[in-house]
Amino acid sequence: MKRQLLYFIFLSFISFSCNNRLDTSTERIELERELENTEGTRQVHLDFHTSEHIEDIGAKFNKKQFQEALKAGHVNAINIFAKGHHGWSYYDTKIGKMHPHLDFDLMKAQIEACREIGVKVKIYFTVGYSDWEAKAHPEWVQKNKSGSSLYLEGIKGLGPDDTFQGWEYLEPFGEYAENIYAQVEELVKNYDIDGVWFDILNTWRVNYNVQARADYKANGIDIEDEDAVYKRTIEKYEIFYKKTLAIVKQYRPEASVFWNGTTAEFNSKMLSDFRYDMFRFNTKLDLEDLPTAWFGYDVFPWRSKYFSNIGKDIVAMSGKFHTAWGEFGGFKSKEALRYEVASMVAYGANINIGDQLHPSGEMDMGTYKNIGYAFEYAKKIESYGIGGKHKATTGLYVGGNKPALEGMVAMLVQNQINFNVVNTLKDWSDIEVLVLTSDGILKRDQKRLDAFIERGGKVIALGKGAFRDGKPILDIGADYIGEATYDVDYTLVNDTIAANVVRSPYLNYSPALRVAPSKDTEILARLREPYFSRTLSHFSSHKNTPFTLEDAKHPAIIRNGNIIYFAHDIDKQFKEWGAQIQRDVFYNAFNLFRTKAFIKAEMPSMGRVNLLHQPEKNRYVSHLLYASPIQRGAIQVIEDMPLLLNTEVIFNLEETIKRAYLVPSGEVLEITKTDNKLKFIIPKFQMHTAIVLEY
């Protein structure tokens, strides 16, 4: 209470400076965040998967040097290791096995060092991998139905004669799970920690080892019944989550608990976390998105919105590495790190940057100078983003097809269309336009879609996303005929959606579904088919067959009242081929429906805009970002940070705005009102800025 009183006294003295800049000092912002955030706004995830073949573990650990690194990095929370993938523990354990070449309680020393400088401490505990336990207990190793072991895939660079496949997977069930429960209890009972971070929870990998088969039999499950086996897999993980959570909370009721994998970036096999909401057990939600080597820079925007709507703290995770986890000596540029942490704040997330501790226990100061450069900027802006509520009039439904989702997100963000994810959004009343990707929606959300359309909501649906089991899920104004009969086709747009688009037929890299429009349905784009499909014995020229000169009977794009239907899966095509013309046509069609946007900003395609609402502070904050990732080999890098000039931003909000200023500069903006909209011109910014609107 004393600190809060001091805080409010402090804020009462805040005023405008004589040069018309608002006081947004680091000290004020830091104090504001410290009182509000229990998670830690600037975190480091300190990997320490260390082989038994390396000696003198932790020999150069020095408390002062460890602290100096964290101070240089402006770090206020850290994940340190209790147990890593090799299975070794880094503390004095009576349940597990301490690393054979560690002769002191390294974890305890790190915790004490953190406590002395006010850094929050969470401990890392691996679940799905434990190398020594897999070798000591081969009966615990997960098996395919054929009986072969399940391994970490994708190990490269080991040489053509090396048969090493990676760590073997272990399912947290039976004796192995009991060992984990005992070790977790040992940890939370004996150590002063703020949270537990469990890793490698892969519900999509079904287990058929002897122990699992016995469990299926005991529960009356036929192993040939894949749905029943999968359902039991989900049940086993739910049991594990509940038991570990109960153990942690028994001794550390305020501690956060997170199981990594429950919020995983997904592919076709990884839908359990979304269909079964496996993330619901977490007390906070960490989003592991390493854009450089894994997913790119267009994944985090939708994931932040999906999980922010659940109402728990979210933590964005990236890495200091040039590539990904496990890379010693790899460095992302400090400017790229600064962009990434600014993006995390812009999308409302706490920040976590991954590092890897050297086996000696000595922290790499070059790493923490780079992290510190980025975190120093984060300190200036974090109060204006972290924990904010996403505000948008465009809704995106996240389906189960990764290319479709990522292609659609790319089209939205590259057009600076501010959106929210509706799957987890309880109240759709702000949503004017809903976008359904080419894989549609889950059956469980059909009633919400029907109610949205009934109240006058507008929908843009793509390809098969308008159908389920061959039947329409909404009235697109056309009957389904069937699949395409040619390998490619061509779109010819009408005047209504022709802005900045060529008037010649343009190529679609996969063909449209065939639909027969009703009499009153508006045709927005016609379709031309090729003379024939290209085969080895039937081809023309180098690539695709040219189009015929007659329109096909089935169209490319149609409108039926408040529904626009694209017969092509342009989301998947844009992900794979990146044709600007498809993005532009989508934007033109979208603008037929958009009559109100809370925010519109004009920037080049790599510009990003997001609007957050902080109702407890009576303000909106719009974040603008600009950097252009470059593909170099297998890696996306950010290097150039061009200066943007005279960026126009328009707001359409219900509240009466009393004051507007830029963050972090504090420059006060003149409010210009036109047609009940607020218009601002940002004279210049580089990399990031934010407009704060107080009401």
Side-chain angles (χ1 to χ4, degrees):
M1 286 299 293
K2 231 181 231 186
R3 290 170 69 202
Q4 288 180 332
L5 180 60
L6 286 171
Y7 167 64
F8 287 117
I9 293 172
F10 174 74
L11 285 187
S12 68
F13 286 99
I14 298 298
S15 61
F16 286 99
S17 61
C18 60
N19 62 356
N20 201 35
R21 289 181 181 273
L22 196 69
D23 182 348
T24 55
S25 68
T26 299
E27 291 78 11
R28 175 198 174 190
I29 295 168
E30 216 175 340
L31 181 57
E32 193 174 334
R33 287 304 315 162
E34 183 185 354
L35 288 169
E36 293 175 352
N37 190 282
T38 58
E39 175 58 29
T41 57
R42 284 163 268 114
Q43 306 177 22
V44 162
H45 185 90
L46 192 61
D47 254 9
F48 200 54
H49 304 292
T50 308
S51 169
E52 64 274 14
H53 301 297
I54 300 176
E55 298 183 355
D56 299 323
I57 302 303
K60 287 196 171 183
F61 174 80
N62 178 278
K63 180 175 72 173
K64 184 177 179 182
Q65 195 266 347
F66 186 81
Q67 292 172 333
E68 288 304 316
L70 298 183
K71 290 176 182 177
H74 299 286
V75 175
N76 61 17
I78 189 169
N79 297 341
I80 61 173
F81 268 40
K83 180 185 177 185
H85 291 345
H86 293 273
W88 307 121
S89 299
Y90 300 98
Y91 69 99
D92 187 11
T93 176
K94 305 234 178 349
I95 307 298
K97 286 188 178 181
M98 193 158 78
H99 193 289
H101 301 297
L102 177 65
D103 59 9
F104 71 104
D105 193 327
L106 175 60
M107 190 185 78
K108 180 180 180 182
Q110 291 173 323
I111 291 173
E112 290 175 352
C114 290
R115 290 296 182 219
E116 287 183 10
I117 59 172
V119 172
K120 297 178 187 299
V121 183
K122 295 88 180 286
I123 57 171
Y124 173 101
F125 192 99
T126 192
V127 174
Y129 305 141
S130 180
D131 191 51
W132 79 259
E133 287 177 286
K135 290 171 180 173
H137 296 278
E139 72 275 13
W140 293 353
V141 173
Q142 286 190 228
K143 302 290 183 179
N144 290 313
K145 192 182 286 189
S146 64
S148 60
S149 295
L150 285 172
Y151 289 90
L152 166 66
E153 304 92 347
I155 301 296
K156 298 179 181 179
L158 295 170
D161 300 322
D162 200 323
T163 58
F164 176 69
Q165 291 178 276
W167 286 290
E168 294 174 294
Y169 282 105
L170 301 171
E171 185 179 50
F173 185 69
E175 289 180 279
Y176 180 55
E178 294 301 323
N179 281 7
I180 292 174
Y181 300 146
Q183 195 167 2
V184 170
E185 183 173 22
E186 174 186 59
L187 282 162
V188 296
K189 183 178 180 180
N190 297 330
Y191 291 90
D192 177 22
I193 58 171
D194 298 302
V196 184
W197 207 93
F198 294 101
D199 200 9
I200 316 299
L201 286 304
N202 302 142
T203 57
W204 59 90
R205 291 188 172 91
V206 176
N207 186 13
Y208 290 95
N209 67 14
V210 172
Q211 180 179 257
R213 287 171 183 261
D215 175 73
Y216 300 144
K217 185 176 181 180
N219 285 277
I221 296 171
D222 181 354
I223 64 167
E224 299 303 322
D225 185 344
E226 292 187 359
D227 289 339
V229 169
Y230 189 65
K231 185 177 180 182
R232 177 57 183 161
T233 299
I234 295 298
E235 289 173 354
K236 287 188 285 185
Y237 274 93
E238 288 180 338
I239 290 168
F240 179 77
Y241 297 150
K242 290 175 183 177
K243 284 191 175 182
T244 47
L245 179 62
I247 292 168
V248 174
K249 291 300 183 180
Q250 179 183 351
Y251 296 96
R252 304 286 169 186
E254 300 302 318
S256 64
V257 185
F258 175 73
W259 295 269
N260 196 29
T262 57
T263 59
E265 157 66 328
F266 64 88
N267 56 40
S268 58
K269 293 181 180 179
M270 295 166 64
L271 294 176
S272 58
D273 297 322
F274 293 82
R275 292 185 186 274
Y276 291 93
D277 296 340
M278 299 301 280
F279 49 79
R280 71 187 185 277
F281 298 98
N282 298 296
T283 66
K284 50 106 177 210
L285 301 163
D286 286 28
L287 312 181
E288 186 184 359
D289 297 314
L290 275 66
T292 46
W294 290 0
F295 308 133
Y297 285 89
D298 286 344
V299 171
F300 179 66
W302 77 259
R303 278 165 51 74
S304 69
K305 295 166 186 288
Y306 187 104
F307 288 105
S308 289
N309 293 332
I310 293 170
K312 298 180 181 181
D313 283 340
I314 63 169
V315 181
M317 297 187 72
S318 185
K320 72 97 178 183
F321 318 102
H322 175 61
T323 58
W325 300 108
E327 181 183 62
F328 281 107
F331 291 90
K332 186 178 290 171
S333 78
K334 64 180 185 179
E335 290 294 348
L337 275 177
R338 190 165 71 105
Y339 174 79
E340 288 185 15
V341 302
S343 299
M344 294 170 182
V345 173
Y347 287 100
N350 294 286
I351 303 161
N352 188 309
I353 299 298
D355 182 27
Q356 183 170 219
L357 183 65
H358 190 274
S360 69
E362 185 176 18
M363 299 281 268
D364 182 81
M365 292 305 296
T367 291
Y368 286 87
K369 287 179 181 177
N370 280 0
I371 291 175
Y373 177 79
F375 280 8
E376 187 175 23
Y377 186 77
K379 288 169 70 175
K380 298 175 182 178
I381 65 171
E382 60 189 15
S383 176
Y384 296 92
I386 296 174
K389 301 179 186 303
H390 292 275
K391 186 82 171 172
T393 60
T394 298
L396 171 67
Y397 189 91
V398 171
N401 184 279
K402 181 180 175 182
L405 172 61
E406 292 186 356
M408 178 51 66
V409 170
M411 287 196 285
L412 291 170
V413 297
Q414 289 176 29
N415 281 307
Q416 288 85 54
I417 299 173
N418 180 48
F419 68 94
N420 207 341
V421 171
V422 299
N423 305 55
T424 52
L425 186 64
K426 294 179 181 178
D427 181 6
W428 289 14
S429 59
D430 278 343
I431 304 301
E432 178 187 27
V433 184
L434 176 61
V435 179
L436 299 181
T437 58
S438 58
D439 59 333
I441 66 168
L442 294 175
K443 191 174 183 179
R444 70 185 185 190
D445 288 321
Q446 182 66 48
K447 289 183 179 179
R448 299 189 79 189
L449 174 63
D450 294 342
F452 176 76
I453 294 171
E454 180 68 24
R455 73 160 171 84
K458 303 162 188 174
V459 180
I460 298 177
L462 277 61
K464 294 181 179 180
F467 304 92
R468 185 185 301 116
D469 301 326
K471 298 178 181 179
I473 63 171
L474 71 171
D475 184 6
I476 62 172
D479 295 324
Y480 177 73
I481 301 174
E483 298 278 351
T485 53
Y486 294 96
D487 58 344
V488 296
D489 57 27
Y490 301 81
T491 294
L492 185 61
V493 298
N494 291 358
D495 292 343
T496 313
I497 56 171
N500 302 313
V501 175
V502 298
R503 301 310 303 273
S504 305
Y506 65 81
L507 175 66
N508 298 293
Y509 296 91
S510 57
L513 289 182
R514 291 180 298 138
V515 297
S518 304
K519 179 182 177 182
D520 297 328
T521 299
E522 181 182 0
I523 308 298
L524 298 178
R526 292 163 287 149
L527 192 141
R528 299 276 178 91
E529 293 180 317
Y531 288 99
F532 48 78
S533 293
R534 185 180 179 86
T535 67
L536 286 173
S537 59
H538 212 80
F539 61 90
S540 177
S541 191
H542 294 285
K543 277 188 172 289
N544 45 289
T545 308
F547 51 85
T548 63
L549 299 180
E550 299 82 28
D551 294 340
K553 292 182 179 179
H554 53 286
I557 308 170
I558 57 178
R559 176 178 179 176
N560 181 36
N562 281 348
I563 297 171
I564 291 177
Y565 175 67
F566 285 75
H568 295 90
D569 56 356
I570 62 168
D571 44 11
K572 294 179 185 177
Q573 291 186 49
F574 192 69
K575 169 65 177 177
E576 185 174 0
W577 298 99
Q580 181 181 338
I581 194 168
Q582 290 183 323
R583 186 190 73 195
D584 291 347
V585 169
F586 171 81
Y587 185 66
N588 291 341
F590 172 82
N591 278 330
L592 295 179
F593 278 169
R594 179 168 65 173
T595 62
K596 179 183 178 182
F598 292 135
I599 182 172
K600 291 178 72 174
E602 297 294 333
M603 288 188 285
S605 64
M606 295 314 293
R608 301 288 179 262
V609 61
N610 194 48
L611 181 64
L612 295 171
H613 189 202
Q614 296 179 314
E616 71 284 357
K617 298 174 183 173
N618 295 324
R619 70 189 184 199
Y620 291 93
V621 186
S622 69
H623 289 266
L624 284 76
L625 297 146
Y626 189 85
S628 188
I630 303 166
Q631 193 73 29
R632 290 214 177 109
I635 309 301
Q636 279 194 11
V637 300
I638 286 181
E639 186 172 292
D640 301 323
M641 301 282 186
L643 188 68
L644 265 61
L645 302 175
N646 299 320
T647 302
E648 182 179 271
V649 186
I650 298 173
F651 294 92
N652 188 354
L653 301 167
E654 293 179 359
E655 292 84 354
T656 300
I657 303 303
K658 299 176 181 177
R659 183 167 57 177
Y661 55 93
L662 294 177
V663 167
S665 71
E667 180 180 349
V668 176
L669 297 176
E670 181 181 350
I671 299 175
T672 303
K673 193 170 184 179
T674 306
D675 298 328
N676 293 320
K677 298 176 183 178
L678 304 183
K679 179 179 175 181
F680 300 97
I681 300 294
I682 303 175
K684 62 181 180 180
F685 80 93
Q686 187 175 35
M687 194 275 292
H688 169 265
T689 191
I691 301 177
V692 181
L693 302 177
E694 296 182 350
Y695 58 84

